Amino acid sequence: MDTTTKKKDAVLSGIQPTSVLTIGNYFGALKNYVAMQDDFDAYYMVANLHAQTVRMDPTELRRRSVETFALFLAAGIDPNHSTVFVQSHVPEHTQLTWALMCNAYTGELSRMTQFKEKSAKSAENINAGLFTYPVLMAADILIYQAKYIPVGADQKQHVELTRDIAIRFNNLYGETFVVPEPYIPKIGARIMSLQEPEKKMSKSDANPNAYIRILDEPDLIVKKLKRAVTDSEGEITANPDRAGVYNLLSIYSACTNGTIEDAVARFAGKGYGDLKSGVADAIVDTLKPIQTEYARLLADKAYLTEQMRLGAERAQITARKTVSKVYHKMGFDSYQA
Ligand code: ATP
Ligand code: LTN
């Protein structure tokens, strides 16, 4: 055995199964999961515990969790290379959450932008889970000693909070956790709503014209692009202040793996109609292989169930180690007289 081989750094990320994933989730997160899986010890999870911070029907949550798992695989995550699992199948996440909860401050949690936005959106259900959600996310990350966290720009603040909690814990109890860093892609980190391009595209937006789902049919994609909000300038330039046009150019770049400048050159001298149909075609081409593979996988429930079981089993080996280390350090030893 080659004893000089360095252990790979771990990466972890998760997506909530609140609805069908959008191209924002794909370009901001999922695409990078696939790109990183060969170079890292990768853990990718369906964040179903997080999803109940907004009220979800249990039957729907169950179905969407399986569908999101299938979509991970369809997008190219290889369960033989990466540990892919559903969060609630590894109960150690909630065990570590309690330990971290006692090391997180209510002041820092109340500064989280996502908490402020989501509580403004659903004033009738500002539950304690919505408030403590970033601590569960910190547990997801720290339990696998993950070094890099591939996320869209909106999650940067949560990863920074995780760093603070990890450093605080390490200072108090001795070196325990790897301190993680966000990995945010240059292009695609913040895909905007097609209807309100100042707002991020979100899978739970009330207006379906605001987002493109990974599973949207080509006709629907063309229709939604036609309705996308632009501006009255008529010229195609890369100006972030012209949010609608800039967003379409970013989506095109993300689909074609090019730069914004390449996208501007491609549409030089053209009108918004050409831009919209060019972007729609690029999206359709990107999503087609994922959609085909998704349909195939979803028809094989036995395979999905088995992969979920194997993924959870593998994740649990690492998760257990971290929890026993942390519990021991905090004085929660088992059966010691
Ligand atoms: P919801 O609408 O349910 O709050 P969401 O669409 O914001 O969900 P999440 O499950 O919160 O999606 O996020 C999963 C991953 O996708 C995260 O890494 C997040 O940063 C990324 N992501 C979400 N929306 C976008 C977007 N518009 N652009 C780029 N990345 C995004
Ligand atoms: N909070 C994230 C989803 C999420 C996550 C994680 C991302 C849950 N646990 C751990 C990265 C690492 C969100 O809402 N997008």
Side-chain angles (χ1 to χ4, degrees):
M1 198 177 110
D2 179 9
T3 48
T4 59
T5 315
K6 211 174 147 264
K7 208 170 152 260
K8 285 180 180 174
D9 284 326
V11 300
L12 171 126
S13 200
I15 301 186
Q16 307 181 62
T18 37
S19 185
V20 182
L21 309 197
T22 69
I23 56 168
N25 302 130
Y26 181 66
F27 292 121
L30 203 43
K31 191 177 173 189
N32 298 305
Y33 296 3
V34 178
M36 293 171 97
Q37 66 181 341
D38 291 336
D39 297 332
F40 295 94
D41 180 17
Y43 293 85
Y44 299 128
M45 57 162 212
V46 175
N48 62 341
L49 296 175
H50 280 91
Q52 274 295 16
T53 54
V54 294
R55 201 70 67 214
M56 271 193 84
D57 169 62
T59 308
E60 187 189 349
L61 180 58
R62 209 167 275 129
R63 177 173 57 79
R64 293 219 183 272
S65 299
V66 176
E67 289 172 355
T68 306
F69 185 86
L71 208 46
F72 278 19
L73 303 191
I77 296 174
D78 176 355
N80 296 313
H81 265 74
S82 303
T83 303
V84 202
F85 62 100
V86 175
Q87 188 182 28
S88 67
H89 296 169
V90 185
E92 285 76 5
H93 287 233
T94 49
Q95 283 182 285
L96 183 61
T97 300
W98 182 254
L100 300 182
M101 204 94 91
C102 302
N103 289 284
Y105 296 121
T106 53
E108 57 194 356
L109 293 177
S110 57
R111 283 195 292 276
M112 295 296 112
T113 309
Q114 193 176 56
F115 170 69
K116 289 192 229 166
E117 283 176 1
K118 292 211 169 170
S119 32
K121 245 203 245 167
S122 59
E124 76 292 344
N125 180 26
I126 308 176
N127 61 77
L130 192 66
F131 185 64
T132 57
Y133 157 123
V135 186
L136 176 59
M137 179 161 158
D140 300 335
I141 294 172
L142 300 180
I143 209 164
Y144 300 106
Q145 305 289 357
K147 175 104 179 107
Y148 300 106
I149 316 302
V151 282
D154 63 303
Q155 292 302 312
K156 187 165 175 254
Q157 197 185 30
H158 289 158
V159 181
E160 279 163 0
L161 175 70
T162 304
R163 286 174 66 81
D164 292 343
I165 295 175
I167 293 169
R168 188 175 302 146
F169 193 98
N170 287 347
N171 286 338
L172 260 171
Y173 296 100
E175 217 45 46
T176 309
F177 295 122
V178 168
V179 178
E181 289 170 32
Y183 176 86
I184 297 172
K186 280 204 184 71
I187 292 193
R190 199 167 160 80
I191 302 289
M192 309 309 277
S193 154
L194 297 181
Q195 289 301 310
E196 295 167 85
E198 312 71 36
K199 233 177 69 178
K200 105 178 163 101
M201 183 180 284
S202 163
K203 62 176 126 64
S204 47
D205 199 305
N207 179 357
N209 287 320
Y211 53 71
I212 305 278
R213 291 174 155 170
I214 300 184
L215 300 175
D216 278 350
E217 297 277 342
D219 288 354
L220 188 58
I221 295 175
V222 171
K223 227 187 259 167
K224 288 184 181 178
L225 257 296
K226 275 195 183 139
R227 292 184 185 145
V229 168
T230 48
D231 54 36
S232 54
E233 289 198 24
E235 210 189 328
I236 297 169
T237 59
N239 177 357
D241 293 337
R242 296 174 56 203
V245 171
Y246 194 80
N247 189 37
L248 296 184
L249 291 168
S250 305
I251 296 174
Y252 186 83
S253 316
C255 290
T256 54
N257 296 312
T259 62
I260 292 274
E261 290 71 31
D262 296 336
V264 173
R266 156 76 176 75
F267 295 104
K270 302 248 164 61
Y272 290 165
D274 291 320
L275 174 65
K276 289 176 171 186
S277 67
V279 174
D281 289 347
I283 298 174
V284 169
D285 288 349
T286 304
L287 299 183
K288 204 175 195 178
I290 302 175
Q291 295 179 348
T292 309
E293 183 60 5
Y294 175 78
R296 193 187 70 79
L297 284 166
L298 210 64
D300 193 348
K301 289 273 165 39
Y303 173 79
L304 290 173
T305 305
E306 181 59 5
Q307 290 308 319
M308 268 188 237
R309 192 183 64 75
L310 288 171
E313 226 171 63
R314 224 184 310 151
Q316 207 162 21
I317 295 171
T318 314
R320 276 203 186 119
K321 276 189 203 151
T322 307
V323 169
S324 45
K325 191 157 114 183
V326 169
Y327 270 39
H328 174 68
K329 289 194 178 206
M330 292 183 80
F332 297 143
D333 292 292
S334 52
Y335 312 121
Q336 262 185 1

